[in-house]
Amino acid sequence: MHSSVPAEIRSGQHQGHTAGLAPGCLQVNLVVLPASHAQAFGEYCALNPRPCLLILLTTPGQTDWTELGTGLDVRRDVPAYNIYENGVLSRTVPDLLNDWSDDLVTFALGFSFTFEHALLRAGIPVRNIATNTTVPMYQTNRETRSAGPFAGPLVVSMRPIPAAKVAKAHDISAQFPWARGAPIHSGDPKVLGIEDLDQPDWGDTSETRDGGVPVFWACGVTPQAALEEAELSLCITHRPGHMLVTDLPEHDPFRAGNLQ
């Protein structure tokens, strides 16, 4: 399986979010940080696998990522990158050519866009794809397990699901543990400390109309919150909703012959 999306992103043909793109291909979050903090961040991922499931990481300075796709370049093949300095988002850039250094390590983490295609195939509507918007994301009252300087709240994404199909959505997404797995909650958002669904912390508002039940999945913005807490001199992530699209099959990226 080979996706043309990274090449379209690199050429500037595609600059928006990646929801709904390249059905069948695994999409991943990116975290890029200095090698001196890579071990601690890897431990943080191991302690918090639902929002931070580690798919693969590079060696220091590695830019080509053939394990994830033919010709992939971690500096150029994401639509937008967020750059944090001392824990503060300083800027968003279309590539990392001017910000790269040989001591940087890149982590690929599983992401929930992967199971959205399976929901659609099962006849379950996905509002953010239908409206061409970025899925809404919220900071919760649940804390992640800390490792070294990395700590912070669990972040969730929300998709309104017809009430009659919530159980089916749960069962389908549970089949994708590398892409957040089953929801962590459905129904009243106040259970998670979310007071107003119309005010997401990241992404776009998604109305829970027509009998839609808000369903919440662990979100890959969780490590971004942890990076802010860590206040590293430099770290880089994807812009929320703007993923790295790989050549790996979304249904089983760890199958023999893909990742070992």
Side-chain angles (χ1 to χ4, degrees), residues 26 28-31 41 45 52-59 62 64-69 72 74 105-110 244 246 248 253-254 258-260:
L26 181 72
V28 297
N29 296 342
L30 286 191
V31 171
F41 186 73
C45 293
C52 310
L53 182 65
L54 178 60
I55 302 295
L56 200 65
L57 73 160
T58 67
T59 57
Q62 179 184 344
D64 61 307
W65 218 346
T66 55
E67 297 95 335
L68 295 183
L72 276 186
V74 299
V105 174
T106 305
F107 290 75
L109 308 176
L244 177 66
T246 78
L248 297 178
F254 296 101
N258 295 323
L259 293 177
Q260 302 298 324

Side-chain angles (χ1 to χ4, degrees), residues 2-11 14 18 21-22 77 79 243 245:
H2 176 65
S3 169
S4 62
V5 173
E8 294 171 2
I9 291 170
R10 188 183 304 183
S11 68
H14 182 82
T18 57
L21 297 183
D77 294 343
M243 305 296 118
V245 180

Side-chain angles (χ1 to χ4, degrees), residues 66-90:
T66 55
E67 297 95 335
L68 295 183
T70 303
L72 276 186
D73 186 333
V74 299
R75 304 167 301 174
R76 304 172 62 192
D77 294 343
V78 171
Y81 302 81
N82 282 349
I83 297 180
Y84 295 83
E85 296 174 315
N86 301 312
V88 177
L89 175 61
S90 63

Side-chain angles (χ1 to χ4, degrees), residues 150-212:
F150 302 105
L154 173 69
V155 176
V156 294
S157 59
M158 189 281 291
R159 295 162 182 81
I161 303 294
K165 297 185 177 183
V166 169
K168 189 174 184 180
H170 179 285
D171 292 343
I172 290 173
S173 57
Q175 299 172 27
F176 295 83
W178 52 88
R180 306 287 176 259
I184 65 166
H185 177 66
S186 60
D188 186 0
K190 292 184 179 180
V191 171
L192 297 175
I194 301 168
E195 295 297 328
D196 187 355
L197 289 178
D198 290 333
Q199 298 294 325
D201 296 296
W202 300 270
D204 301 313
T205 301
S206 184
E207 297 179 4
T208 54
R209 60 177 184 269
D210 302 328

Side-chain angles (χ1 to χ4, degrees), residues 122-154:
I124 299 174
V126 179
R127 185 74 53 75
N128 54 288
I129 292 180
T131 58
N132 193 31
T133 55
T134 299
V135 66
M137 294 158 271
Y138 307 85
Q139 182 173 303
T140 73
N141 56 9
R142 299 186 183 183
E143 291 294 315
T144 58
R145 300 176 65 185
S146 63
F150 302 105
L154 173 69

